[in-house]
Amino acid sequence: MSTKPIKTVFSGMQPTSGVTLGNYLGAMRNFVKLQHEAQCFFCVVDLHALTIPKDPVELRKNTLDMARLYVAAGIDPEVATIFVQSHVSAHAEMGWLMEVSCYYGELQRMTQFKDKASRAEVVTTGLFTYPALMAADILLYDTTHVPVGDDQKQHLELARDIAIRLNNRFGREVVVVPEPYIPPREAGGRIMSLQNPTQKMSKSDPDESGTIFMLDEPDVIRKKIRRAVTDSESEVRYDPENKPGVSNLMVILSLCTGMSLDEIAGRYTGYGQFKKDVAEAVVATLEPIQKRYKELCEPGVIEEILEKGAQRAEAVSTPVLRRVQDALGLLPRKRA
């Protein structure tokens, strides 16, 4: 992680039909801590969601749900800025400026595009160019740090390359060059699938029993963990290579309770009670989030939060957009 002080953080999550336990433990929970350490902008990136055709009704619902989960997870809209990407037009405008500031070869090298294009029924131009829009998202807020996972490091590098290129071209700091923010690894790392513990827990897993969603009912969570893959032994020990299923459950229990992996290993002599305790720890972790989510489903509640967030985001992003437009030679509009 960079040693530079964390001043401004930007992160965006796509509105999807399900946010996983891995998303919460690996990302959202860190956002809750970061909001008190820096100026934070947490965005529901609905424009990115359009790179693959979506049902309009479902997209609107998922956008609201993602915003609700941000708040329900503990992000305070009075402390951090929570908003929807398409509500701030500077994102689309800056996106084009980033497209003309990066190169075809750079986009062609993006492994995420190759992976998604291989699985998509329709490959849109936006799927190819969306790393430029992601760069716009980041650079619009003079972002100093971006929480980033392994699958997004390449996109952040592109944003950095564009920023450095612009600054070098004009001989001044047109945009801030962002740094990656990699939170300290807790209890062994990321959450893996309950059914295929060598793969990351994912909403796109064809076997839903391998994924715990933040809004899963308690009995559904218990059933999924009860059926989680372990091994033919009975020893509870952290050994990701030889015991990936058990190790994954230990990580989940550790992150939900604060117990160390050594404490967990010393507490159990078999898988029965171990799995029950993992399930109850997950249920207890998600219960207050689910309760708050239901409160945020009351008419108009999340919409008001998003409107205030969009206003705050516009106030910060518009001057940055104008700065980049001016550097590139666009004619300023005469405003009253």
Side-chain angles (χ1 to χ4, degrees):
M1 190 179 74
S2 169
T3 56
K4 292 182 179 179
I6 302 173
K7 296 179 180 178
T8 305
V9 171
F10 177 92
S11 185
M13 293 182 72
Q14 283 200 36
T16 63
S17 56
V19 182
T20 72
L21 177 68
N23 294 142
Y24 171 65
L25 295 177
M28 282 188 175
R29 200 161 72 164
N30 286 318
F31 296 169
V32 175
K33 298 174 185 175
L34 275 174
Q35 68 181 329
H36 300 294
E37 300 173 13
Q39 182 182 32
C40 290
F41 296 87
F42 298 120
C43 183
V44 183
V45 289
D46 56 343
L47 294 177
H48 285 295
L50 295 176
T51 56
I52 296 174
K54 295 288 193 302
D55 175 78
V57 174
E58 183 180 349
L59 178 58
R60 292 188 192 102
K61 178 185 182 299
N62 291 344
T63 299
L64 291 170
D65 277 352
M66 179 61 74
R68 290 180 181 118
L69 286 171
Y70 270 146
V71 179
I75 299 173
D76 185 346
E78 296 300 319
V79 175
T81 300
I82 302 171
F83 67 104
V84 174
Q85 185 185 29
S86 64
H87 288 180
V88 181
S89 60
H91 284 262
E93 294 184 64
M94 185 75 149
W96 175 250
L97 301 183
M98 296 301 99
E99 283 193 38
V100 299
S101 300
C102 67
Y103 305 140
Y104 178 81
E106 290 176 316
L107 295 176
Q108 201 174 30
R109 288 193 293 271
M110 294 291 136
T111 55
Q112 280 270 304
F113 168 73
K114 296 173 184 177
D115 177 55
K116 291 183 178 181
S118 69
R119 294 183 280 112
E121 293 182 13
V122 176
V123 180
T124 65
T125 306
L127 186 61
F128 181 68
T129 62
Y130 88 92
L133 177 58
M134 187 177 294
D137 299 336
I138 295 167
L139 300 181
L140 268 173
Y141 296 91
D142 283 339
T143 302
T144 62
H145 289 79
V146 181
V148 62
D150 292 337
D151 58 344
Q152 296 296 341
K153 285 181 180 178
Q154 198 178 25
H155 293 152
L156 178 58
E157 281 304 314
L158 178 65
R160 286 174 49 82
D161 289 345
I162 294 173
I164 292 168
R165 184 177 300 143
L166 285 171
N167 293 345
N168 287 342
R169 176 182 173 186
F170 298 107
R172 57 190 170 90
E173 188 179 76
V174 178
V175 288
V176 172
V177 180
E179 300 280 345
Y181 172 79
I182 302 172
R185 284 281 186 179
E186 294 182 87
R190 59 184 174 178
I191 306 303
M192 312 304 279
S193 166
L194 299 178
Q195 292 300 315
N196 184 4
T198 61
Q199 300 292 323
K200 186 174 74 169
M201 183 178 285
S202 171
K203 61 182 179 295
S204 59
D205 191 331
D207 185 353
E208 274 205 7
S209 62
T211 302
I212 295 172
F213 295 98
M214 288 181 71
L215 297 179
D216 275 348
E217 294 289 336
D219 284 346
V220 172
I221 293 170
R222 295 183 181 104
K223 184 177 180 181
K224 287 180 178 180
I225 292 178
R226 187 167 62 246
R227 294 182 174 179
V229 169
T230 50
D231 51 54
S232 58
E233 300 179 9
S234 60
E235 183 184 5
V236 177
R237 75 172 190 274
Y238 186 71
D239 183 351
E241 186 175 342
N242 298 305
K243 297 171 73 70
V246 171
S247 298
N248 186 43
L249 292 175
M250 290 177 71
V251 169
I252 292 172
L253 182 58
S254 177
L255 292 176
C256 288
T257 63
M259 281 194 294
S260 71
L261 296 174
D262 287 340
E263 284 180 275
I264 293 168
R267 178 172 291 201
Y268 300 99
T269 57
Y271 295 157
Q273 188 61 48
F274 170 57
K275 281 189 171 183
K276 287 180 182 177
D277 287 355
V278 174
E280 294 311 314
V282 173
V283 168
T285 296
L286 295 181
E287 186 178 35
I289 296 173
Q290 293 176 354
K291 180 181 178 182
R292 179 66 176 130
Y293 166 83
K294 290 176 182 176
E295 295 171 353
L296 292 161
C297 287
E298 291 294 318
V301 175
I302 196 64
E303 289 85 350
E304 183 177 350
I305 289 171
L306 291 175
E307 175 56 28
K308 290 180 179 178
Q311 291 174 11
R312 286 161 63 178
E314 279 183 333
V316 175
S317 61
T318 299
V320 179
L321 174 64
R322 300 285 179 254
R323 197 166 71 221
V324 176
Q325 289 172 328
D326 178 68
L328 291 172
L330 297 182
L331 187 67
R333 175 185 168 192
K334 187 176 180 179
R335 299 173 186 274

